[in-house]
Amino acid sequence: MSVLSNVDVEKEILAGNIRIFPFDHSNIKSSSYNLTASKYAWSLKTKEKIVKDKKIIIPPHDTGIIATKEVIWVSKKICGTYHSKVSVVSKGGGHIGTTLDSEWIGHSIIAIHNHTKDDIVIDINDTFISIMFHYLHKPTTVEQHNSASQYSLLSNLVNLTDDDEKYFDESWKNQSKEVLKKVKSEKDFIALSAKNKNPYISTGKVVFYTIFGLIILSSLYFQTQLNKESFLYTVATWTTGVGFSGVLVPIIHSIYTNLK
């Protein structure tokens, strides 16, 4: 298992193995991705909302249950670990120690304990936790059976209103393909995709295909010059036949793939 760098995270987002919506490219750090606080937050003691004036207020010696704004899905070859941000810990917030299983889907539900005698304030839409993604040595064989965002667990911990239930139970949050559609519509994803798209065939490919293309053309020419009974004619015929299917077709396919 190894940690994904920013380059790896970008690659896997483009490949669809990591799906984050909403996606903000500025939240990708050197080896992590920062997640933002949503307006859905509750006190574990009272089970009631702790949001006021676009701020989450965790009372002294209480635990705040906070849903991330982002919905995440990861493939079977990727997992993750959640980590506290210094900005929260320095205020007296407890350290985070939880995981992201492969094929998880939904909002992340984060518990932050206030160890101090003062309120801990977190602005809605500010980043408050980081997630590090990891490659698995082998794809997991364990199926993910948790409900999206662990909605059933959340409903047992806090008091959800009808609007809360509708928010967490939106159908697209249960379907990885629908999450992918939303990710692909994001301007940051579109910009990242455009930046990483290479419309040209690499120099090495051009040289390789040019050489083999010349071999095929030479074989075609020699067929017209050689006696049909000769060994060289047989070699030229074989090269042309096999070469066309094995070389010219891949050339056409490669050009089409790189230029479409």
Side-chain angles (χ1 to χ4, degrees), residues 169-216:
D169 203 30
E170 290 180 274
S171 61
W172 69 269
K173 295 175 182 178
N174 293 287
Q175 304 173 57
S176 61
K177 290 182 179 179
E178 294 302 313
V179 176
L180 181 60
K181 286 181 183 179
K182 288 186 174 291
V183 173
K184 286 186 173 181
S185 69
E186 289 278 72
K187 64 178 182 179
D188 278 17
F189 178 89
I190 294 170
L192 180 63
S193 181
K195 184 183 75 172
N196 285 271
K197 188 174 183 180
N198 180 10
Y200 305 103
I201 302 174
S202 67
T203 303
K205 285 184 178 179
V206 170
V207 173
F208 178 82
Y209 288 138
T210 299
I211 292 173
F212 276 91
L214 290 173
I215 292 174
I216 301 303

Side-chain angles (χ1 to χ4, degrees), residues 109-150:
I109 309 300
I110 307 300
I112 297 180
H113 187 73
N114 182 354
H115 292 283
T116 74
K117 60 181 180 180
D118 301 312
D119 292 338
I120 291 179
V121 179
I122 299 172
D123 290 337
I124 292 173
N125 294 326
D126 274 3
T127 59
F128 75 112
I129 192 169
S130 298
I131 183 169
M132 298 180 76
F133 295 104
H134 305 258
Y135 282 126
L136 297 176
H137 179 60
K138 292 183 179 180
T140 181
T141 58
V142 177
E143 298 294 331
Q144 178 63 255
H145 296 298
N146 289 333
S147 58
S149 309
Q150 288 197 341

Side-chain angles (χ1 to χ4, degrees), residues 57-253:
I57 303 172
I58 306 174
H61 308 296
D62 195 355
T63 300
I65 305 297
I66 305 172
T68 61
K69 188 175 180 181
E70 294 83 1
V71 169
I72 296 178
W73 177 87
V74 291
S75 72
K76 287 189 174 183
K77 72 173 187 176
I78 293 172
C79 65
T81 51
Y82 294 90
H83 302 270
S84 306
K85 287 194 69 180
V86 173
S87 59
V88 176
V89 174
S90 62
K91 296 176 183 178
H95 283 283
I96 306 301
T98 188
T99 59
L100 175 79
D101 288 334
S102 299
E103 293 197 311
W104 160 267
I105 189 169
H107 298 275
S108 300
I109 309 300
I110 307 300
I112 297 180
H113 187 73
N114 182 354
H115 292 283
T116 74
K117 60 181 180 180
D118 301 312
D119 292 338
I120 291 179
V121 179
I122 299 172
D123 290 337
I124 292 173
N125 294 326
D126 274 3
T127 59
F128 75 112
I129 192 169
S130 298
I131 183 169
M132 298 180 76
F133 295 104
H134 305 258
Y135 282 126
L136 297 176
H137 179 60
K138 292 183 179 180
T140 181
T141 58
V142 177
E143 298 294 331
Q144 178 63 255
H145 296 298
N146 289 333
S147 58
S149 309
Q150 288 197 341
Y151 169 68
S152 57
L153 174 62
L154 182 62
S155 62
N156 289 327
L157 290 175
V158 299
N159 296 326
L160 300 178
T161 65
D162 290 343
D163 287 341
D164 295 338
E165 292 179 358
K166 288 178 182 178
Y167 176 76
F168 286 101
D169 203 30
E170 290 180 274
S171 61
W172 69 269
K173 295 175 182 178
N174 293 287
Q175 304 173 57
S176 61
K177 290 182 179 179
E178 294 302 313
V179 176
L180 181 60
K181 286 181 183 179
K182 288 186 174 291
V183 173
K184 286 186 173 181
S185 69
E186 289 278 72
K187 64 178 182 179
D188 278 17
F189 178 89
I190 294 170
L192 180 63
S193 181
K195 184 183 75 172
N196 285 271
K197 188 174 183 180
N198 180 10
Y200 305 103
I201 302 174
S202 67
T203 303
K205 285 184 178 179
V206 170
V207 173
F208 178 82
Y209 288 138
T210 299
I211 292 173
F212 276 91
L214 290 173
I215 292 174
I216 301 303
L217 292 175
S218 299
S219 297
L220 287 169
Y221 171 76
F222 281 122
Q223 281 189 62
T224 64
Q225 305 296 317
L226 298 171
N227 186 313
K228 292 186 177 181
E229 302 294 327
S230 70
F231 173 74
L232 287 177
Y233 178 83
T234 301
V235 172
T237 303
W238 180 87
T239 302
T240 303
V242 174
F244 181 79
S245 61
V247 178
L248 291 184
V249 171
I251 289 175
I252 296 171
H253 179 265

